[in-house]
């Protein structure tokens, strides 16, 4: 069972993640969008969207630091384990709360506003449910275990297992003794990757990064008098009819 959960499942989810994006791009390029509903409701979106995205960026950055950067590297650059722990816990808590608040507003907006509720698809509902589950597990691990509890050093177990998956030499034994909430969070993370290509999250890969190096758009002021607008066909016919000698129709 451990082999299935900690070796087979991650590779299966990663395969679906890659193949799903290829399939989506080849067969549904017109659906490769955020499916924005800003025109239907903007008041809650103006608050919920920045909170959600800023919180998500912070959470993703924290996960990347904790899972991909070994403890030996942070110690080598002068960051003690205590300093890293404080930064990770408090940074994760703050960005996590932002993510929770933004997600709650976006979900409430979907169900409170009738027009947006009617535009919400089944896959949108699945996505929001998956996000809520992932955020709940992550906040439980961060706040209940590391902030209020005795703490757990995931960098020596879960992070090593995570990196070993991408080195194609997974150490499944490292996950056996991890707390249940961390195990569920890890499983949920890979399942979330498998769900990703079939949701609106594909818009992440379409960020307009070319705007950073494209040439400036130059606007020039118009000099001289503004030309008069062309007369409408009705006005031309009326002026022609008023001229002397014009045929009577």
């Amino acid at each position: 069972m451990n082999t299935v959960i900690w070796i087979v499942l991650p590779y299966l989810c990663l395969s679906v993640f890659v193949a799903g994006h290829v399939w989506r791009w080849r067969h549904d390029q017109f659906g490769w969008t955020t499916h924005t509903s800003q025109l239907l409701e903007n008041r809650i979106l103006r608050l919920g969207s920045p909170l959600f995205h800023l919180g998500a960026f912070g959470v993703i950055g924290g996960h990347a630091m904790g899972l991909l950067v070994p403890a030996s590297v942070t110690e080598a650059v002068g960051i003690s384990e205590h300093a890293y722990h404080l930064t990770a816990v408090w940074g994760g808590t703050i960005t996590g709360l932002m993510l929770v608040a933004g997600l709650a507003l976006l979900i409430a907006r979907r169900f409170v506003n009738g027009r947006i509720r009617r535009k919400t698809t089944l896959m949108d509902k699945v996505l929001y449910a998956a996000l809520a589950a992932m955020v709940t597990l992550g906040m439980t691990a961060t706040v209940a275990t590391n902030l209020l509890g005795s703490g757990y050093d995931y960098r020596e177990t879960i992070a090593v297992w995570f990196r070993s998956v991408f080195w194609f030499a997974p150490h499944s034994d490292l996950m056996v003794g991890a707390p249940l909430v961390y195990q569920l969070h890890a499983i949920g993370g890979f399942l979330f990757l498998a769900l990703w290509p079939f949701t609106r999250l594909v818009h992440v890969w379409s960020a307009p990064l070319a705007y950073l190096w494209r040439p400036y758009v130059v606007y020039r002021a118009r000099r001289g008098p503004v030309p008069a607008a062309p007369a409408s066909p009705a006005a031309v016919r009326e002026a022609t009819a008023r001229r002397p000698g014009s045929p009577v129709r």
Side-chain angles (χ1 to χ4, degrees):
M1 181 60 70
N2 289 332
T3 300
V4 173
I5 295 177
W6 306 119
I7 298 179
V8 176
L9 180 64
Y11 287 120
L12 180 61
C13 292
L14 290 173
S15 299
V16 174
F17 178 81
V18 175
H21 277 92
V22 174
W23 175 86
R24 182 78 180 270
W25 179 254
R26 290 174 62 90
H27 295 88
D28 187 31
Q29 290 190 27
F30 286 107
W32 195 285
T33 174
T34 60
H35 300 284
T36 180
S37 57
Q38 183 176 2
L39 294 177
L40 300 178
E41 196 282 331
N42 192 36
R43 183 172 57 88
I44 300 177
L45 185 65
R46 277 192 310 224
L47 178 61
S49 182
L51 280 174
F52 174 80
H53 285 90
L54 290 175
F57 291 149
V59 168
I60 293 172
H63 278 70
M65 175 66 72
L67 295 176
L68 300 180
V69 181
S72 58
V73 174
T74 54
E75 291 177 358
V77 298
I79 303 176
S80 66
E81 185 62 26
H82 179 67
Y84 172 85
H85 177 75
L86 289 178
T87 303
V89 170
W90 284 106
T93 300
I94 294 172
T95 56
L97 291 176
M98 293 174 61
L99 181 59
V100 168
L103 182 60
L105 287 172
L106 294 180
I107 292 177
R109 175 177 174 269
R110 286 276 163 184
F111 292 96
V112 170
N113 190 294
R115 292 187 300 174
I116 299 178
R117 184 172 62 250
R118 288 188 292 271
K119 298 294 289 185
T120 301
T121 65
L122 175 61
M123 190 54 68
D124 289 334
K125 297 177 183 179
V126 173
L127 173 61
Y128 280 116
L131 281 171
M134 286 295 298
V135 171
T136 300
L137 290 171
M139 289 301 293
T140 301
T142 300
V143 177
T145 303
N146 284 325
L147 185 61
L148 303 178
S150 57
Y152 176 71
D153 188 6
Y154 61 88
R155 301 180 80 193
E156 298 297 330
T157 55
I158 298 175
V160 177
W161 163 78
F162 183 82
R163 293 193 297 271
S164 70
V165 169
F166 293 92
W167 287 112
F168 299 100
H171 301 297
S172 59
D173 55 299
L174 295 174
M175 295 299 297
V176 176
L180 179 60
V181 65
Y182 281 92
Q183 292 180 341
L184 294 176
H185 192 53
I187 295 172
F190 277 103
L191 292 175
F192 188 76
L193 289 179
L195 177 67
W196 189 306
F198 311 103
T199 68
R200 64 176 63 209
L201 290 180
V202 292
H203 78 276
V204 170
W205 315 119
S206 300
L209 298 180
Y211 284 8
L212 299 177
W213 56 79
R214 73 173 187 178
Y216 291 106
V217 178
V218 179
Y219 294 91
R220 291 184 172 90
R222 184 189 300 272
R223 300 186 182 279
V226 178
S232 64
V236 172
R237 288 195 299 269
E238 183 179 355
T240 303
R242 292 178 178 176
R243 291 176 184 173
S246 299
V248 178
R249 296 182 180 179

